[in-house]
Amino acid sequence: MLRFTSRRGPRLALCAVLALFATSAGAQQAILEGERFHPQESRHGMAATSHYLASQIARDVMQDGGNAVDAAVTAGFALAVTQPRSGNIGGGGFMLISDEDSGKVVAIDYREKAPAAAFETMFQNDAGEAVPELSRYTHNASGVPGTVAGLALALDEYGTLSLAEALAPAIDLAENGFALPQRFVEGIEQASERFEQWPASRAKFFKPDGSRYQVGDTYRQPALAATLKRIAEHGPREFYEGETAELIAAEMEKHGGLMTAEDLADYRPAIREPVHGTYRGYDVYAMSPPSSGGAHIVQMLNILEGYDIGAMGFNSARTIHVMAEAMKRAYADRAEYLGDTDFVDVPLAGITSKAYADALREQIDLGRATPSDSIAAGDPLPYESNETTHFSIADDSGLAVSNTYTINFSYGSGIVVDGAGFLLNNEMDDFSAKPGTPNAYGLIGGEANKIEPEKRMLSSMTPTIVKKDGKNVLVTGSPGGSRIITTTLQVVMNVIDHGMNVQSAVSVPRIHHQWLPDEIRIEEGISPDTIGLLESMGHTVSQQAAMGAAQSVLIEDGRFYGGADPRRSTSSALGL
Ligand code: DON
């Protein structure tokens, strides 16, 4: 088994700590052509996460001599406490780890799996229609969680800390509490109707008298603390075979859920090869199936490599046009071909080949939008705004970690496991409940992503690491459902094509096209004359809510730069 050796010793006490708090002020910074303008730097490492407590904890782990994997796993558990809308132990995700010394980039797949008793039509009614309520807000919405096994595997294979050490900050935060920020309080309010239905959810998210927590209140999670302590004491299998597994199985049995103790005992994460592509001399590594992210970011980059994007200009009408044309072709392929490669054949080599990109580029008319229905057909629903979380961490030993994990919607199914204090995911909604029927993100799926026992549902999560000449350069990724792949694409393009510093690269306005619906979705900040030009080419342009939260790290000339996404008020990038 491949093992990265730790090359980090304890840090000298006098080693200066450079704590960088990157905020939306970064959005204002000038974008310079040519040489990048970097507002902040650090010498020994950087952690960018969506919660300042997790960033601090990750920075401290590296400060104390841990490596980037130690920092990532510790931050992953801390986010399960500080940001329960997406940080989790009841969900799953993907982690990419790049080690400059060995030259290897590995992907840890800890995506949830369908229970053994799952079946293709489980979310359809008697008339054969998909019923979204069933795949989103019931006990059957949950896939078998992978986070505890995945983080423990990463630590075991590539870290230096014990699991108990990596869990300690999370346990402390759950037991002794932390002061609630505005975003947390607002999030609970938005999901309160879902929590009202379940006693354990009420107990976790409301005060004992049923009233709401306020900004600044100290928030403690005793049931979650007890669960984390059991895992620290007995190891990761406790979650899958110990008291925690019994609590999950009892919760399922009580509410008619299909997931059993056996499903939990059978769960294993997988180490996979990431998808690899190149873009203008850079090596791009991103998540392989069961995520669609890696396949399609490489496919879109291959198409876009044929244009001089830098000269065409950032978010000019011409640039947005070719991006949208690349995006719709990639998302049409996603719907047809992508699924869990343990179950279906995915033509990955073809999708990511330069020759295929050349053929797709040939179809693109530089002056005119190709209507999506002439690319393929579908019946999409409107988008939903939801939550996942991405973090990027790099250290000066040459390790970089890119991790995206989720419980799907904000607060997943809204169902807390009674006695265990954590939320169940609603990841089963990422399967196609019925071929041709869109999921919550308007994504169409087909045969390749139908529900099958023990299969992993297709994801868009795109943890990505860009290297140049063997060195880690950019660590990025994002939440955002269907927008994840295009968000990550734009961070890569902003750095490589537009020469932006990493804070600008994550802050500037983004666009998105996912084939169906046939529209370019834009954030605030695209100029009206650009929109006019796009419309004159035949595009429908729709301004909607902000997309993604691409916490990123850029490494240049041995210096680390953090990009904390201003789209999340708790985002922070901290260097050492
Ligand atoms: O795996 C996926 O693609 C989705 N479950 C991710 C959901 C998500 O990003 C929600 N957040 N913004």
Side-chain angles (χ1 to χ4, degrees):
M1 181 64 78
L2 161 138
R3 177 177 285 272
F4 300 152
T5 51
S6 170
R7 296 173 304 284
R8 294 177 62 79
R11 294 221 166 279
L12 292 173
L14 48 134
C15 171
V17 179
L18 182 60
L20 304 175
F21 192 75
T23 68
S24 57
Q28 313 303 324
Q29 282 140 11
I31 301 157
L32 299 187
E33 293 276 337
E35 200 172 319
R36 248 186 278 281
F37 164 65
H38 290 302
Q40 304 144 334
E41 65 174 45
S42 75
R43 286 160 178 267
H44 297 297
M46 179 69 68
T49 83
S50 57
H51 199 287
Y52 46 87
L53 289 172
S55 295
Q56 277 167 21
I57 285 166
R59 190 266 320 273
D60 291 349
V61 165
M62 292 190 282
Q63 187 63 34
D64 292 342
N67 67 24
V69 177
D70 296 321
V73 172
T74 309
F77 284 126
L79 283 163
V81 177
T82 60
Q83 191 173 278
R85 67 166 72 209
S86 53
N88 69 81
I89 56 171
F94 304 113
M95 179 183 283
L96 246 63
I97 305 174
S98 166
D99 176 41
E100 286 178 358
D101 273 5
S102 67
K104 289 201 167 79
V105 184
V106 296
I108 297 180
D109 167 6
Y110 59 97
R111 179 74 161 167
E112 300 92 326
K113 281 182 160 186
F119 54 99
E120 192 179 343
T121 55
M122 65 187 279
F123 299 126
Q124 295 176 17
N125 61 18
D126 292 344
E129 293 152 350
V131 184
E133 177 70 21
L134 296 178
S135 59
R136 296 177 192 174
Y137 304 119
T138 66
H139 285 72
N140 278 340
S142 180
V144 183
T147 296
V148 172
L151 295 183
L153 174 66
L155 195 66
D156 199 36
E157 291 292 325
Y158 312 115
T160 67
L161 297 182
S162 68
L163 185 63
E165 287 169 323
L167 279 160
I171 292 170
D172 178 47
L173 284 165
E175 198 159 46
N176 300 314
F178 60 96
L180 288 183
Q182 177 84 16
R183 182 159 189 267
F184 191 108
V185 171
E186 283 172 3
I188 290 182
E189 195 47 48
Q190 283 157 10
S192 58
E193 263 180 47
R194 257 186 286 158
F195 298 149
E196 287 286 3
Q197 297 172 43
W198 311 101
S201 304
R202 287 201 298 271
K204 181 178 172 84
F205 291 110
F206 304 154
K207 289 181 176 174
D209 66 359
S211 65
R212 302 296 187 261
Y213 286 100
Q214 304 297 315
V215 176
D217 282 352
T218 300
Y219 178 64
R220 296 185 180 85
Q221 300 165 82
L224 178 60
T227 297
L228 295 172
K229 277 185 184 170
R230 284 194 302 274
I231 298 168
E233 191 180 344
H234 303 292
R237 296 310 300 166
E238 196 285 331
F239 185 92
Y240 297 94
E241 294 172 64
E243 189 183 331
T244 308
E246 283 166 20
L247 289 166
I248 299 170
E251 174 80 29
M252 289 291 162
E253 208 171 310
K254 189 169 168 195
H255 297 281
L258 292 178
M259 195 190 302
T260 63
E262 235 184 338
D263 289 319
L264 289 157
D266 286 347
Y267 185 87
R268 295 286 181 283
I271 295 185
R272 300 193 189 274
E273 272 220 9
V275 174
H276 173 244
T278 60
Y279 188 58
R280 305 192 202 281
Y282 290 82
D283 287 288
V284 178
Y285 296 88
M287 192 61 214
S288 40
S291 179
S292 56
H296 297 303
I297 195 169
V298 167
Q299 179 185 16
M300 290 186 285
L301 287 170
N302 283 342
I303 296 171
L304 294 165
E305 198 173 37
Y307 305 102
D308 190 351
I309 298 288
M312 288 160 71
F314 169 68
N315 275 357
S316 68
R318 287 206 310 150
T319 298
I320 293 177
H321 170 67
V322 294
M323 287 168 70
E325 293 301 304
M327 288 171 182
K328 56 178 101 155
R329 286 164 175 82
Y331 277 78
D333 282 352
R334 183 190 189 280
E336 177 68 21
Y337 297 119
L338 267 287
D340 181 352
T341 38
D342 289 348
F343 286 75
V344 290
D345 288 331
V346 174
L348 254 190
I351 290 173
T352 57
S353 78
K354 298 277 185 199
Y356 181 51
D358 292 344
L360 292 177
R361 200 183 312 107
E362 286 283 297
Q363 300 168 4
I364 297 176
D365 179 337
L366 280 177
R368 198 78 210 148
T370 312
S372 288
D373 61 7
S374 75
I375 297 174
D379 181 28
L381 287 179
Y383 305 100
E384 257 197 40
S385 160
N386 281 301
E387 185 75 16
T388 290
T389 194
H390 177 84
F391 52 86
S392 299
I393 299 178
D395 69 27
D396 62 2
S397 77
L399 280 180
V401 180
S402 180
N403 187 90
T404 317
Y405 75 156
T406 188
I407 42 178
N408 197 20
F409 289 13
S410 287
Y411 309 101
S413 62
I415 302 170
V416 168
V417 177
D418 197 8
F422 64 87
L423 281 162
L424 290 168
N425 66 80
N426 59 350
E427 220 73 70
M428 292 291 284
D429 192 64
D430 277 350
F431 277 118
S432 36
K434 187 183 173 186
T437 304
N439 73 0
Y441 306 101
L443 290 169
I444 315 282
E447 277 292 300
N449 190 33
K450 70 180 184 195
I451 303 171
E452 295 183 69
E454 298 182 51
K455 189 179 183 183
R456 288 176 160 101
M457 55 296 284
L458 182 60
S459 175
S460 301
M461 290 189 283
T462 315
T464 297
I465 296 177
V466 178
K467 296 178 71 175
K468 181 100 197 268
D469 303 327
K471 295 279 184 205
N472 298 324
V473 173
L474 178 65
V475 191
T476 189
S478 180
S482 55
R483 288 96 63 195
I484 291 173
I485 317 174
T486 51
T487 293
T488 309
L489 170 82
Q490 286 164 88
V491 176
V492 173
M493 293 175 72
N494 289 346
V495 168
I496 296 179
D497 288 312
H498 302 301
M500 291 185 201
N501 68 57
V502 69
Q503 185 60 68
S504 296
V506 304
S507 300
V508 290
R510 299 197 259 261
I511 66 117
H512 171 73
H513 201 304
Q514 63 178 49
W515 170 54
L516 295 171
D518 189 358
E519 64 181 22
I520 302 178
R521 177 175 172 167
I522 58 167
E523 292 185 326
E524 204 176 326
I526 307 288
S527 73
D529 43 5
T530 303
I531 294 170
L533 285 167
L534 287 165
E535 286 170 344
S536 73
M537 286 188 245
H539 291 285
T540 300
V541 181
S542 159
Q543 185 180 307
Q544 292 178 36
M547 296 180 247
Q551 322 298 347
S552 306
V553 173
L554 182 74
I555 307 146
E556 230 171 45
D557 302 326
R559 302 294 159 104
F560 298 82
Y561 304 94
D565 199 316
R567 293 166 185 79
R568 298 285 183 276
S569 57
T570 50
S571 297
S572 111
L574 293 172
L576 68 153

